[in-house]
Amino acid sequence: MRCRESNEAEAMIDMAPLIDIVFILLIFFMVTTTFVKDMKLELERPKASSSTAASSKAIRLFIDRHGDTYLDGEPVRLWLIQSKLRDLLSTASSKVILVVTDEGVPAGKLIEVIDQARLSGAESVGVATKKEAG
């Protein structure tokens, strides 16, 4: 009697396509994730007992204690706010603007910035505050 030798090859699983798919998924989630980026300004926000959480998709406009305004981390003059915001709002999914200001900013400066934000076509404009303890 002759012994029959097994000519069958062992089944192998190719891991290369699996690794490719994992990397593609990783890149997809990294690209589609939105990050809230706050500027590194030292701001003492005003306190309000009626504060609520702001949308993470809101466009943030900053006013520092000297009255300088910033949009996307870059200084912007008051007369340019409206046009720059209009450009951002045309491509943004959320038409909400959040003004983050220092507590010491004069009310007149804050009103001018909010007015420019409203004139740019925003659906709503809010002012960031700190929840008052109590």
Side-chain angles (χ1 to χ4, degrees):
M1 260 210 217
R2 240 168 130 182
C3 283
R4 229 169 131 188
E5 286 188 31
S6 174
N7 290 339
E8 298 175 16
E10 288 186 29
M12 298 289 288
I13 298 176
D14 189 15
M15 295 297 285
L18 179 64
I19 293 172
D20 290 343
I21 295 297
V22 169
F23 280 123
I24 289 172
L25 286 173
L26 178 67
I27 291 169
F28 172 77
F29 286 118
M30 286 173 50
V31 169
T32 58
T33 303
T34 58
F35 296 99
V36 176
K37 54 181 177 187
D38 277 342
M39 287 187 45
K40 301 297 179 205
L41 289 176
E42 293 294 324
L43 297 178
E44 184 62 36
R45 293 185 299 184
K47 295 176 182 68
S49 57
S50 63
S51 294
T52 58
S55 169
S56 63
K57 295 183 188 252
I59 297 171
R60 285 170 166 65
L61 184 61
F62 296 89
I63 310 173
D64 69 3
R65 63 179 49 113
H66 305 293
D68 298 326
T69 53
Y70 298 87
L71 184 63
D72 280 343
E74 296 184 17
V76 61
R77 299 280 182 208
L78 185 63
W79 59 86
L80 289 174
I81 291 174
Q82 191 180 100
S83 64
K84 289 197 180 256
L85 283 175
R86 192 173 291 132
D87 292 342
L88 283 173
L89 288 171
S90 67
T91 59
S93 60
S94 173
K95 307 275 189 232
V96 177
I97 297 175
L98 184 64
V99 179
V100 183
T101 183
D102 191 79
E103 192 172 28
V105 171
K109 178 69 173 181
L110 179 61
I111 297 301
E112 287 177 342
V113 171
I114 290 173
D115 192 36
Q116 292 296 314
R118 284 189 178 146
L119 290 173
S120 69
E123 290 175 0
S124 74
V125 180
V127 177
T129 58
K130 186 170 30 175
K131 185 77 171 171
E132 191 174 68

PDB file of all heavy atoms in Angstrom, residues 30-52:
ATOM      1  N   MET A  30     -10.096  60.601  11.184  1.00  0.00           N
ATOM      2  CA  MET A  30      -9.266  61.765  11.519  1.00  0.00           C
ATOM      3  C   MET A  30      -9.684  62.985  10.699  1.00  0.00           C
ATOM      4  O   MET A  30      -9.709  64.100  11.214  1.00  0.00           O
ATOM      5  CB  MET A  30      -7.787  61.452  11.270  1.00  0.00           C
ATOM      6  CG  MET A  30      -7.188  60.529  12.311  1.00  0.00           C
ATOM      7  SD  MET A  30      -5.511  59.999  11.938  1.00  0.00           S
ATOM      8  CE  MET A  30      -4.679  61.507  11.583  1.00  0.00           C
ATOM      9  N   VAL A  31     -10.033  62.780   9.453  1.00  0.00           N
ATOM     10  CA  VAL A  31     -10.399  63.891   8.584  1.00  0.00           C
ATOM     11  C   VAL A  31     -11.795  64.426   8.910  1.00  0.00           C
ATOM     12  O   VAL A  31     -12.029  65.627   8.876  1.00  0.00           O
ATOM     13  CB  VAL A  31     -10.312  63.461   7.099  1.00  0.00           C
ATOM     14  CG1 VAL A  31     -10.928  64.478   6.171  1.00  0.00           C
ATOM     15  CG2 VAL A  31      -8.866  63.210   6.720  1.00  0.00           C
ATOM     16  N   THR A  32     -12.719  63.550   9.250  1.00  0.00           N
ATOM     17  CA  THR A  32     -14.093  63.983   9.479  1.00  0.00           C
ATOM     18  C   THR A  32     -14.346  64.492  10.893  1.00  0.00           C
ATOM     19  O   THR A  32     -15.391  65.086  11.137  1.00  0.00           O
ATOM     20  CB  THR A  32     -15.081  62.841   9.190  1.00  0.00           C
ATOM     21  OG1 THR A  32     -14.770  61.719  10.024  1.00  0.00           O
ATOM     22  CG2 THR A  32     -15.040  62.459   7.727  1.00  0.00           C
ATOM     23  N   THR A  33     -13.436  64.287  11.794  1.00  0.00           N
ATOM     24  CA  THR A  33     -13.623  64.769  13.160  1.00  0.00           C
ATOM     25  C   THR A  33     -13.360  66.266  13.216  1.00  0.00           C
ATOM     26  O   THR A  33     -12.403  66.758  12.674  1.00  0.00           O
ATOM     27  CB  THR A  33     -12.653  64.046  14.119  1.00  0.00           C
ATOM     28  OG1 THR A  33     -12.873  62.646  14.016  1.00  0.00           O
ATOM     29  CG2 THR A  33     -12.865  64.485  15.549  1.00  0.00           C
ATOM     30  N   THR A  34     -14.252  66.972  13.896  1.00  0.00           N
ATOM     31  CA  THR A  34     -14.046  68.410  14.064  1.00  0.00           C
ATOM     32  C   THR A  34     -13.492  68.657  15.453  1.00  0.00           C
ATOM     33  O   THR A  34     -13.890  68.018  16.422  1.00  0.00           O
ATOM     34  CB  THR A  34     -15.354  69.192  13.886  1.00  0.00           C
ATOM     35  OG1 THR A  34     -16.296  68.713  14.841  1.00  0.00           O
ATOM     36  CG2 THR A  34     -15.900  69.038  12.492  1.00  0.00           C
ATOM     37  N   PHE A  35     -12.597  69.591  15.515  1.00  0.00           N
ATOM     38  CA  PHE A  35     -11.982  69.942  16.783  1.00  0.00           C
ATOM     39  C   PHE A  35     -12.341  71.375  17.127  1.00  0.00           C
ATOM     40  O   PHE A  35     -12.307  72.250  16.262  1.00  0.00           O
ATOM     41  CB  PHE A  35     -10.457  69.808  16.709  1.00  0.00           C
ATOM     42  CG  PHE A  35     -10.001  68.402  16.465  1.00  0.00           C
ATOM     43  CD1 PHE A  35      -9.640  67.980  15.203  1.00  0.00           C
ATOM     44  CD2 PHE A  35      -9.942  67.497  17.503  1.00  0.00           C
ATOM     45  CE1 PHE A  35      -9.232  66.689  14.972  1.00  0.00           C
ATOM     46  CE2 PHE A  35      -9.537  66.199  17.284  1.00  0.00           C
ATOM     47  CZ  PHE A  35      -9.183  65.787  16.022  1.00  0.00           C
ATOM     48  N   VAL A  36     -12.691  71.616  18.374  1.00  0.00           N
ATOM     49  CA  VAL A  36     -12.938  72.978  18.834  1.00  0.00           C
ATOM     50  C   VAL A  36     -11.598  73.563  19.211  1.00  0.00           C
ATOM     51  O   VAL A  36     -10.899  73.055  20.079  1.00  0.00           O
ATOM     52  CB  VAL A  36     -13.883  72.987  20.058  1.00  0.00           C
ATOM     53  CG1 VAL A  36     -14.053  74.398  20.567  1.00  0.00           C
ATOM     54  CG2 VAL A  36     -15.205  72.373  19.690  1.00  0.00           C
ATOM     55  N   LYS A  37     -11.250  74.636  18.526  1.00  0.00           N
ATOM     56  CA  LYS A  37      -9.968  75.244  18.810  1.00  0.00           C
ATOM     57  C   LYS A  37     -10.197  76.621  19.407  1.00  0.00           C
ATOM     58  O   LYS A  37     -10.761  77.498  18.773  1.00  0.00           O
ATOM     59  CB  LYS A  37      -9.103  75.316  17.557  1.00  0.00           C
ATOM     60  CG  LYS A  37      -9.765  75.995  16.386  1.00  0.00           C
ATOM     61  CD  LYS A  37      -8.885  76.008  15.175  1.00  0.00           C
ATOM     62  CE  LYS A  37      -9.687  76.645  14.040  1.00  0.00           C
ATOM     63  NZ  LYS A  37      -9.096  76.602  12.793  1.00  0.00           N
ATOM     64  N   ASP A  38      -9.811  76.772  20.620  1.00  0.00           N
ATOM     65  CA  ASP A  38      -9.873  78.069  21.264  1.00  0.00           C
ATOM     66  C   ASP A  38      -8.497  78.695  21.189  1.00  0.00           C
ATOM     67  O   ASP A  38      -7.482  78.013  21.306  1.00  0.00           O
ATOM     68  CB  ASP A  38     -10.307  77.936  22.725  1.00  0.00           C
ATOM     69  CG  ASP A  38     -11.820  77.852  22.861  1.00  0.00           C
ATOM     70  OD1 ASP A  38     -12.509  78.232  21.903  1.00  0.00           O
ATOM     71  OD2 ASP A  38     -12.292  77.427  23.922  1.00  0.00           O
ATOM     72  N   MET A  39      -8.501  79.979  21.007  1.00  0.00           N
ATOM     73  CA  MET A  39      -7.230  80.680  20.924  1.00  0.00           C
ATOM     74  C   MET A  39      -6.573  80.705  22.295  1.00  0.00           C
ATOM     75  O   MET A  39      -7.210  80.534  23.313  1.00  0.00           O
ATOM     76  CB  MET A  39      -7.453  82.104  20.427  1.00  0.00           C
ATOM     77  CG  MET A  39      -7.795  82.144  18.961  1.00  0.00           C
ATOM     78  SD  MET A  39      -7.874  83.801  18.334  1.00  0.00           S
ATOM     79  CE  MET A  39      -6.443  84.565  19.002  1.00  0.00           C
ATOM     80  N   LYS A  40      -5.308  80.960  22.312  1.00  0.00           N
ATOM     81  CA  LYS A  40      -4.544  80.998  23.553  1.00  0.00           C
ATOM     82  C   LYS A  40      -4.530  82.403  24.145  1.00  0.00           C
ATOM     83  O   LYS A  40      -3.534  82.869  24.644  1.00  0.00           O
ATOM     84  CB  LYS A  40      -3.103  80.523  23.310  1.00  0.00           C
ATOM     85  CG  LYS A  40      -3.034  79.121  22.752  1.00  0.00           C
ATOM     86  CD  LYS A  40      -3.608  78.124  23.713  1.00  0.00           C
ATOM     87  CE  LYS A  40      -3.544  76.740  23.133  1.00  0.00           C
ATOM     88  NZ  LYS A  40      -4.493  75.834  23.651  1.00  0.00           N
ATOM     89  N   LEU A  41      -5.659  83.095  24.065  1.00  0.00           N
ATOM     90  CA  LEU A  41      -5.771  84.416  24.668  1.00  0.00           C
ATOM     91  C   LEU A  41      -6.143  84.255  26.138  1.00  0.00           C
ATOM     92  O   LEU A  41      -6.931  83.385  26.503  1.00  0.00           O
ATOM     93  CB  LEU A  41      -6.862  85.241  23.977  1.00  0.00           C
ATOM     94  CG  LEU A  41      -6.581  85.724  22.565  1.00  0.00           C
ATOM     95  CD1 LEU A  41      -7.815  86.434  22.018  1.00  0.00           C
ATOM     96  CD2 LEU A  41      -5.409  86.659  22.547  1.00  0.00           C
ATOM     97  N   GLU A  42      -5.590  85.112  26.958  1.00  0.00           N
ATOM     98  CA  GLU A  42      -5.954  85.129  28.375  1.00  0.00           C
ATOM     99  C   GLU A  42      -7.198  85.989  28.519  1.00  0.00           C
ATOM    100  O   GLU A  42      -7.117  87.214  28.583  1.00  0.00           O
ATOM    101  CB  GLU A  42      -4.796  85.695  29.209  1.00  0.00           C
ATOM    102  CG  GLU A  42      -3.573  84.809  29.232  1.00  0.00           C
ATOM    103  CD  GLU A  42      -3.823  83.495  29.953  1.00  0.00           C
ATOM    104  OE1 GLU A  42      -4.573  83.483  30.952  1.00  0.00           O
ATOM    105  OE2 GLU A  42      -3.291  82.479  29.501  1.00  0.00           O
ATOM    106  N   LEU A  43      -8.366  85.357  28.534  1.00  0.00           N
ATOM    107  CA  LEU A  43      -9.619  86.080  28.643  1.00  0.00           C
ATOM    108  C   LEU A  43     -10.312  85.726  29.947  1.00  0.00           C
ATOM    109  O   LEU A  43     -10.407  84.554  30.309  1.00  0.00           O
ATOM    110  CB  LEU A  43     -10.554  85.744  27.480  1.00  0.00           C
ATOM    111  CG  LEU A  43     -10.089  86.115  26.073  1.00  0.00           C
ATOM    112  CD1 LEU A  43     -11.112  85.655  25.053  1.00  0.00           C
ATOM    113  CD2 LEU A  43      -9.840  87.589  25.944  1.00  0.00           C
ATOM    114  N   GLU A  44     -10.794  86.731  30.635  1.00  0.00           N
ATOM    115  CA  GLU A  44     -11.635  86.527  31.819  1.00  0.00           C
ATOM    116  C   GLU A  44     -13.059  86.783  31.349  1.00  0.00           C
ATOM    117  O   GLU A  44     -13.499  87.929  31.224  1.00  0.00           O
ATOM    118  CB  GLU A  44     -11.235  87.497  32.934  1.00  0.00           C
ATOM    119  CG  GLU A  44     -11.987  87.303  34.220  1.00  0.00           C
ATOM    120  CD  GLU A  44     -11.774  85.933  34.844  1.00  0.00           C
ATOM    121  OE1 GLU A  44     -10.656  85.390  34.766  1.00  0.00           O
ATOM    122  OE2 GLU A  44     -12.753  85.405  35.403  1.00  0.00           O
ATOM    123  N   ARG A  45     -13.775  85.703  31.052  1.00  0.00           N
ATOM    124  CA  ARG A  45     -15.114  85.847  30.497  1.00  0.00           C
ATOM    125  C   ARG A  45     -16.084  86.379  31.536  1.00  0.00           C
ATOM    126  O   ARG A  45     -15.959  86.085  32.725  1.00  0.00           O
ATOM    127  CB  ARG A  45     -15.612  84.516  29.956  1.00  0.00           C
ATOM    128  CG  ARG A  45     -14.820  84.060  28.744  1.00  0.00           C
ATOM    129  CD  ARG A  45     -15.378  82.821  28.156  1.00  0.00           C
ATOM    130  NE  ARG A  45     -15.322  81.746  29.152  1.00  0.00           N
ATOM    131  CZ  ARG A  45     -15.671  80.503  28.927  1.00  0.00           C
ATOM    132  NH1 ARG A  45     -16.127  80.158  27.767  1.00  0.00           N
ATOM    133  NH2 ARG A  45     -15.582  79.603  29.861  1.00  0.00           N
ATOM    134  N   PRO A  46     -17.072  87.140  31.100  1.00  0.00           N
ATOM    135  CA  PRO A  46     -18.083  87.634  32.044  1.00  0.00           C
ATOM    136  C   PRO A  46     -18.899  86.478  32.606  1.00  0.00           C
ATOM    137  O   PRO A  46     -19.054  85.441  31.961  1.00  0.00           O
ATOM    138  CB  PRO A  46     -18.948  88.567  31.198  1.00  0.00           C
ATOM    139  CG  PRO A  46     -18.516  88.408  29.795  1.00  0.00           C
ATOM    140  CD  PRO A  46     -17.257  87.629  29.759  1.00  0.00           C
ATOM    141  N   LYS A  47     -19.437  86.669  33.793  1.00  0.00           N
ATOM    142  CA  LYS A  47     -20.225  85.625  34.454  1.00  0.00           C
ATOM    143  C   LYS A  47     -21.712  85.866  34.212  1.00  0.00           C
ATOM    144  O   LYS A  47     -22.160  86.995  34.137  1.00  0.00           O
ATOM    145  CB  LYS A  47     -19.943  85.632  35.957  1.00  0.00           C
ATOM    146  CG  LYS A  47     -18.525  85.272  36.302  1.00  0.00           C
ATOM    147  CD  LYS A  47     -18.319  85.406  37.810  1.00  0.00           C
ATOM    148  CE  LYS A  47     -16.900  85.106  38.198  1.00  0.00           C
ATOM    149  NZ  LYS A  47     -15.925  86.063  37.738  1.00  0.00           N
ATOM    150  N   ALA A  48     -22.461  84.770  34.071  1.00  0.00           N
ATOM    151  CA  ALA A  48     -23.911  84.841  33.913  1.00  0.00           C
ATOM    152  C   ALA A  48     -24.526  83.588  34.517  1.00  0.00           C
ATOM    153  O   ALA A  48     -24.020  82.488  34.314  1.00  0.00           O
ATOM    154  CB  ALA A  48     -24.294  84.968  32.453  1.00  0.00           C
ATOM    155  N   SER A  49     -25.606  83.773  35.259  1.00  0.00           N
ATOM    156  CA  SER A  49     -26.244  82.613  35.887  1.00  0.00           C
ATOM    157  C   SER A  49     -27.083  81.826  34.883  1.00  0.00           C
ATOM    158  O   SER A  49     -27.432  80.682  35.126  1.00  0.00           O
ATOM    159  CB  SER A  49     -27.117  83.059  37.061  1.00  0.00           C
ATOM    160  OG  SER A  49     -28.076  84.004  36.627  1.00  0.00           O
ATOM    161  N   SER A  50     -27.401  82.412  33.738  1.00  0.00           N
ATOM    162  CA  SER A  50     -28.221  81.727  32.733  1.00  0.00           C
ATOM    163  C   SER A  50     -27.393  81.133  31.605  1.00  0.00           C
ATOM    164  O   SER A  50     -27.906  80.897  30.521  1.00  0.00           O
ATOM    165  CB  SER A  50     -29.240  82.712  32.151  1.00  0.00           C
ATOM    166  OG  SER A  50     -28.561  83.759  31.494  1.00  0.00           O
ATOM    167  N   SER A  51     -26.115  80.873  31.848  1.00  0.00           N
ATOM    168  CA  SER A  51     -25.242  80.327  30.806  1.00  0.00           C
ATOM    169  C   SER A  51     -25.676  78.936  30.383  1.00  0.00           C
ATOM    170  O   SER A  51     -26.121  78.138  31.198  1.00  0.00           O
ATOM    171  CB  SER A  51     -23.797  80.252  31.317  1.00  0.00           C
ATOM    172  OG  SER A  51     -23.288  81.529  31.533  1.00  0.00           O
ATOM    173  N   THR A  52     -25.536  78.674  29.072  1.00  0.00           N
ATOM    174  CA  THR A  52     -25.788  77.335  28.535  1.00  0.00           C
ATOM    175  C   THR A  52     -24.601  76.942  27.667  1.00  0.00           C
ATOM    176  O   THR A  52     -23.823  77.792  27.244  1.00  0.00           O
ATOM    177  CB  THR A  52     -27.073  77.298  27.678  1.00  0.00           C
ATOM    178  OG1 THR A  52     -26.957  78.242  26.617  1.00  0.00           O
ATOM    179  CG2 THR A  52     -28.302  77.615  28.512  1.00  0.00           C
TER     180      THR A  52
END
